[in-house]
Amino acid sequence: MKTFRLIGDYAFEFFVVTLLLALSAVLIIPFVPVLTGVTGYFKTDINSRRFKDIFTTIGKNRKILIFYTLFQLIIIVFPVLNIYFFNTHPANTNYFVLAVSCIALFVGVIYLVTGPTVIVNMRVNLRQLLYNGIMLVFGGPVRSLIAIACVAGVVALIIFYPYVVPLTLYAVPFLISKLMAENFIKLKAKALNTSVFELKKQQTQDDYIDEYGEINGAEALEKNDEEI
């Protein structure tokens, strides 16, 4: 019963998240805020998260999201349009503009990968966001390369096969949010001079503190599972 419920939860989640991101992508401007909201949504486990978390995350970070969205529009949208134009009109290719567009697009992809996680976990201004976004990459270079490759793949699909993109709108943000969360907790553990294991253990305990200040740990969870 629990397995079927989880399958249903993930299926419904796939539909809702894909629809929200697809609509925001069509409108362009809301895409970055919605992506950040989805990152906040994926921060908790499937049994705890609610769709309202997406909009709560956007509302809590609306100020920085204005500047972050403008930054991403400039550094991603215009290069993508340039590359798409040169790809469809090779006779008009300007290689200097093409090179600058590719560099700008790569930088934009890095911040598209790291920015939402930084915003969800920290209170930052744009300058701090840009700095911490780069630092997050070094929290786990291999994980960062995988995440960047995922976004680069989606960008390539946008340029060459745009009709396939909706199929990636759930899996890619989900994967990136998990990879970047691992990078963030590794950097946080280093800053606090503790281990990742101890930090995760502490966070798990904090998650199970109820409204009376008492910890509901493994025993409470096992009891709930038995009731289900």
Side-chain angles (χ1 to χ4, degrees):
M1 179 66 71
K2 186 176 180 180
T3 300
F4 286 114
R5 188 195 69 188
L6 281 175
I7 293 174
D9 287 345
Y10 276 114
F12 185 62
E13 184 177 270
F14 173 86
F15 174 77
V16 173
V17 171
T18 299
L19 181 62
L20 284 174
L21 286 172
L23 289 174
S24 64
V26 170
L27 297 173
I28 300 177
I29 294 177
F31 179 74
V32 170
V34 172
L35 179 62
T36 304
V38 168
T39 300
Y41 169 75
F42 283 141
K43 187 178 179 180
T44 54
D45 66 89
I46 185 69
N47 295 311
S48 303
R49 56 188 181 235
R50 300 292 181 269
F51 291 122
K52 69 177 183 179
D53 296 340
I54 298 174
F55 305 101
T56 301
T57 300
I58 295 172
K60 285 168 54 179
N61 299 283
R62 57 187 178 277
K63 185 176 180 180
I64 183 60
L65 283 173
I66 292 172
F67 297 105
Y68 178 52
T69 299
L70 290 174
F71 171 79
Q72 288 295 82
L73 284 174
I74 293 170
I75 206 165
I76 286 186
V77 173
F78 290 115
V80 166
L81 292 176
N82 284 337
I83 294 170
Y84 179 79
F85 176 79
F86 292 142
N87 182 63
T88 55
H89 299 79
N92 298 322
T93 299
N94 184 316
Y95 290 102
F96 175 76
V97 175
L98 180 61
V100 171
S101 297
C102 289
I103 294 171
L105 183 58
F106 180 72
V107 173
V109 166
I110 290 176
Y111 284 112
L112 194 63
V113 166
T114 60
T117 298
V118 172
I119 292 173
V120 166
N121 291 281
M122 303 174 69
R123 291 185 178 275
V124 293
N125 56 36
L126 184 60
R127 180 183 62 81
Q128 294 167 335
L129 172 61
L130 298 180
Y131 172 78
N132 285 289
I134 292 296
M135 293 303 297
L136 191 60
V137 172
F138 296 102
V142 174
R143 287 189 292 268
S144 298
L145 286 175
I146 293 172
I148 291 170
C150 288
V151 176
V154 174
V155 171
L157 288 176
I158 292 173
I159 295 173
F160 299 106
Y161 304 101
Y163 300 108
V164 183
V165 172
L167 299 178
T168 68
L169 291 179
Y170 176 86
V172 171
F174 180 84
L175 177 61
I176 291 174
S177 69
K178 298 304 179 184
L179 292 172
M180 292 301 101
E182 287 295 318
N183 283 13
F184 181 81
I185 200 168
K186 183 177 179 180
L187 291 175
K188 185 177 179 179
K190 184 177 181 180
L192 296 175
N193 196 28
T194 186
S195 67
V196 171
F197 174 78
E198 288 297 327
L199 190 57
K200 285 185 176 181
K201 181 180 178 182
Q202 182 61 48
Q203 288 181 341
T204 301
Q205 290 176 340
D206 291 343
D207 287 342
Y208 301 135
I209 295 178
D210 63 17
E211 65 269 26
Y212 302 107
E214 297 181 0
I215 296 177
N216 297 316
E219 294 181 359
L221 289 178
E222 290 175 2
K223 183 178 179 181
N224 289 337
D225 287 341
E226 290 176 359
E227 292 175 354
I228 294 173

